[in-house]
Amino acid sequence: MSIASGKYFAVPVSSTDPEFDIEFIVDPEYRIFSAQRMTEDDKPQAPVDEIEQIKAKAKEGMASFKKGGLKGAFGFAKKLAEETMKDDKQKLEEAKEANFKDPMDPIHAFALDTQSGVSYEPIHSLEDKHKDTNLFQFRSDSGYGVLEPLENGVLREISFSYPSHEYAEKKYENQHVGHSVHDWRREDDVLHHMRVYYLSQDKSKADAAAKAASMATIKNDHFSVDLTSTRAAEKTRFRAPDLRIDKKSGDVSLTALYAWFLPRKTQQGRQIQYNWDALRVRVTQGDTLVKRIVCWSSSKEMDYIKSQCTSMELMNGGYIGELEAGKYELRLSIYNDEMMVYPFEVIKTVSTDNRTAVETYYTLKTPADNFAKLKYTDESFQLDIEYPLCQLVTEMGSVEEFEVVCKIMRDGKTWPDYEVSEFDGSNMQTTITVRNQPNWASEPTRLQIPFGSQAEYRGRESVPNGTYTAHISIDGTEKDQIVFEIKDGTLVTDNVSFPTELALADFDFPEEHNGHLFPLNK
């Protein structure tokens, strides 16, 4: 261990932050060690000498007599009597008022904690779960941070202070930044006060290091992500966020979030802590922040971040809030690098059907609703289509029911040449009940189309290679087309084009999700 026991001088890079002393208590046999900070204001004051106080009062009285004569002496005596007659309660109140620190004043709201003992523990390596890095993490009653040994007996501490309860509630009501979420560290200089200190047992070394450092440069280095530091330099991807809505209240939650190939390091080589809140999740509406969701990886050993998929956990089950009808954006960032913007819409339906028991209900529409999921194998000779119903909410939200029918066309002709009635038990058509079913559009409806070389099952083989079109009709009117290609009995997916702004992992890892997404052609 490169940190020794003893007193260290801590010198800030920013002149607005106080200097402090810190005493490390290190046992070389253990990686965990403790420390106690102390500023000049926290150091014990000399005891009050009552005799000296009396002498000082006497001198003050003589000065008043010499300056104002008998009148001055009477004035001093009156003041002394008033002070003597004050009861203990009044004196206590005055002392309390004099020591009051306004929690809404940023100086006090983000004050450096120098009262609590601090415990430091090593940060595990992402590369090898059995090894530690040379960084140490800590958390106190009002802050958290990282301690890094440098050269020449100098340490660097980067810390972040939580705001006071009052300040957090007033300034950051939708950000989850206060004391109730201490278990997760943000490393967020916008929401928390960021401090940088250089420590050394030789104060001149700490002074020199702090003087040579730039706060702006350190911030940029700390938050700049090396997007290429993924496994095998793969591009980071995200699965379509699993947004859910309560049909009656409009309460929206993000129930699951998965990422592929997360970057592991900053541009300066520091590993990114995904068990902290490095992956930032926000919901916005235009320029307005609706909610910040605390997000972290639950694996303490972190080894699976090296693999393809990392599942993230979300505070309060990913609860966002009761949203009004309108368009929103779910934004995913790693520190300040925005990785994905996922638009979604809350639709409020007020039914015109006066026979329904559910007059008003909410539906969620996402970019995933512009795609259908297809699955086909030449073993079952069956094409499965998961067709999203959400896009039909506006026009079908007040009907009693409607029918969805699918047929396959090739070169302008139905393929194979069959009628729906010929296939008893198939699901080429389905009826969707709307009345009294507020969740009717929550999930796609599954259409199962017999799809082989001929209508009859006996002797049926795979369809010939070529391009086909699935035609989707609603109550007899064509609504959508899905164009796809079959080659050697399988779906061709490598030539399917998708909007580049939607980083949906389903496009890149279809085997993970039991199907391939194809865009709907209106």
Side-chain angles (χ1 to χ4, degrees):
M1 180 179 293
S2 55
I3 299 176
S5 293
K7 175 184 175 182
Y8 286 71
F9 300 94
V11 181
V13 173
S14 174
S15 60
T16 59
D17 293 327
E19 292 190 9
F20 63 87
D21 299 340
I22 185 166
E23 186 81 19
F24 286 122
I25 304 172
V26 180
D27 186 333
E29 294 185 7
Y30 298 97
R31 291 278 285 167
I32 298 176
F33 58 95
S34 60
Q36 176 65 55
R37 301 178 186 183
M38 185 174 293
T39 65
E40 286 295 327
D41 293 338
D42 300 318
K43 293 178 180 179
Q45 304 296 317
V48 176
D49 189 325
E50 295 184 0
I51 295 177
E52 290 299 321
Q53 272 193 337
I54 294 172
K55 288 181 179 180
K57 289 291 183 184
K59 287 182 180 181
E60 186 181 350
M62 290 298 294
S64 298
F65 178 73
K66 289 179 180 180
K67 184 177 181 179
L70 196 57
K71 184 177 180 182
F74 278 127
F76 174 74
K78 182 179 179 182
K79 176 184 174 184
L80 191 61
E82 288 175 351
E83 290 181 359
T84 305
M85 291 177 65
K86 285 182 180 178
D87 57 24
D88 292 340
K89 183 178 179 181
Q90 186 177 355
K91 290 180 180 179
L92 186 63
E93 289 295 328
E94 289 182 356
K96 183 177 179 181
E97 184 177 346
N99 295 323
F100 173 72
K101 297 180 179 179
D102 185 359
M104 295 304 296
D105 183 339
I107 295 177
H108 303 311
F110 295 92
L112 177 69
D113 177 23
T114 57
Q115 301 296 320
S116 303
V118 179
S119 178
Y120 292 83
E121 59 182 276
I123 294 177
H124 299 303
S125 170
L126 292 182
E127 303 298 331
D128 187 341
K129 65 182 181 180
H130 300 295
K131 293 183 179 180
D132 297 330
T133 66
N134 69 330
L135 302 176
F136 296 86
Q137 60 182 323
F138 70 90
R139 184 168 63 237
S140 68
D141 287 344
S142 64
Y144 55 92
V146 171
L147 184 67
E148 177 186 9
L150 304 178
E151 297 178 349
N152 199 25
V154 177
L155 314 174
R156 184 173 72 173
E157 179 184 280
I158 298 179
S159 66
F160 299 85
S161 293
Y162 302 110
S164 63
H165 292 283
E166 297 86 348
Y167 195 93
E169 290 175 0
K170 181 73 173 178
K171 302 290 186 178
Y172 307 126
E173 60 178 340
N174 296 322
Q175 295 271 22
H176 289 303
V177 300
H179 290 254
S180 61
V181 287
H182 272 188
D183 287 345
W184 301 284
R185 281 151 279 191
R186 305 300 173 77
E187 298 180 289
D188 194 328
D189 61 316
V190 176
L191 306 179
H192 296 160
H193 185 88
M194 180 179 180
R195 293 182 172 93
V196 179
Y197 283 89
Y198 285 88
L199 287 64
S200 178
Q201 292 185 304
D202 183 340
K203 192 172 188 304
S204 63
K205 291 183 179 180
D207 285 330
K211 185 177 181 180
S214 163
M215 194 70 180
T217 300
I218 294 172
K219 281 187 177 183
N220 182 67
D221 291 346
H222 194 81
F223 296 115
S224 295
V225 178
D226 180 1
L227 298 178
T228 67
S229 62
T230 61
R231 195 186 76 166
E234 282 278 356
K235 182 180 178 181
T236 301
R237 302 169 175 89
F238 295 91
R239 178 179 170 180
D242 191 7
L243 289 162
R244 300 293 177 92
I245 191 168
D246 185 296
K247 305 303 173 185
K248 294 183 179 180
S249 69
D251 280 352
V252 176
S253 295
L254 175 62
T255 59
L257 184 60
Y258 295 91
W260 278 258
F261 301 112
L262 286 170
R264 287 173 276 171
K265 295 181 179 179
T266 65
Q267 292 182 9
Q268 295 299 310
R270 178 182 67 87
Q271 75 174 21
I272 299 170
Q273 293 300 111
Y274 289 103
N275 59 338
W276 296 9
D277 192 24
L279 182 60
R280 299 174 181 174
V281 183
R282 295 177 299 133
V283 175
T284 59
Q285 187 174 39
D287 296 330
T288 302
L289 174 71
V290 176
K291 183 70 73 174
R292 163 87 184 268
I293 307 173
V294 176
C295 176
W296 75 99
S297 163
S298 62
S299 173
K300 294 182 179 179
E301 295 178 334
M302 306 290 286
D303 56 315
Y304 71 114
I305 285 179
K306 294 167 58 180
S307 65
Q308 280 191 25
C309 184
T310 299
S311 61
M312 309 302 291
E313 292 194 33
L314 303 157
M315 180 181 174
N316 296 331
Y319 178 72
I320 296 169
E322 184 177 325
L323 301 185
E324 293 297 325
K327 296 183 178 181
Y328 300 85
E329 307 83 29
L330 180 72
R331 299 180 178 274
L332 304 183
S333 304
I334 301 176
Y335 295 141
N336 299 322
D337 282 89
E338 193 160 82
M339 307 298 290
M340 183 175 75
V341 179
Y342 190 73
F344 66 94
E345 183 178 2
V346 173
I347 302 171
K348 181 180 180 180
T349 301
V350 180
S351 179
T352 58
D353 182 356
N354 59 14
R355 294 171 294 174
T356 184
V358 185
E359 180 182 358
T360 302
Y361 59 93
Y362 293 86
T363 309
L364 202 62
K365 189 177 188 302
T366 74
D369 296 314
N370 296 320
F371 299 85
K373 185 177 290 186
L374 273 62
K375 182 181 180 182
Y376 176 69
T377 64
D378 57 3
E379 297 175 357
S380 63
F381 302 112
Q382 179 172 284
L383 178 68
D384 288 344
I385 299 178
E386 292 186 14
Y387 178 74
L389 297 174
C390 186
Q391 59 180 326
L392 305 175
V393 168
T394 302
E395 56 189 293
M396 311 303 291
S398 295
V399 302
E400 179 177 349
E401 62 182 27
F402 62 89
E403 186 178 57
V404 182
V405 176
C406 177
K407 64 178 180 179
I408 307 296
M409 304 285 288
R410 182 184 181 187
D411 299 329
K413 298 179 180 179
T414 302
W415 183 276
D417 186 14
Y418 53 67
E419 296 293 333
V420 172
S421 59
E422 292 183 34
F423 295 93
D424 293 335
S426 72
N427 195 14
M428 298 166 60
Q429 60 184 19
T430 184
T431 299
I432 307 298
T433 301
V434 175
R435 180 179 295 160
N436 296 326
Q437 301 294 326
N439 62 342
W440 65 269
S442 298
E443 301 292 339
T445 187
R446 175 168 290 183
L447 301 166
Q448 296 175 322
I449 298 95
F451 192 50
S453 59
Q454 61 184 27
E456 294 76 17
Y457 185 79
R458 186 184 299 275
R460 187 188 298 170
E461 298 177 351
S462 179
V463 296
N465 292 346
T467 300
Y468 298 82
T469 303
H471 294 256
I472 308 293
S473 297
I474 308 297
D475 280 349
T477 301
E478 184 168 301
K479 176 68 176 177
D480 289 304
Q481 295 182 8
I482 307 167
V483 179
F484 60 96
E485 182 182 355
I486 299 292
K487 184 176 182 180
D488 300 331
T490 60
L491 280 168
V492 176
T493 60
D494 55 8
N495 63 350
V496 179
S497 61
F498 305 101
T500 56
E501 69 273 15
L502 300 180
L504 303 187
D506 303 66
F507 298 164
D508 300 285
F509 300 96
E511 69 279 3
E512 297 276 349
H513 307 298
N514 196 31
H516 299 263
L517 291 177
F518 284 78
L520 298 173
N521 299 313
K522 305 295 184 181

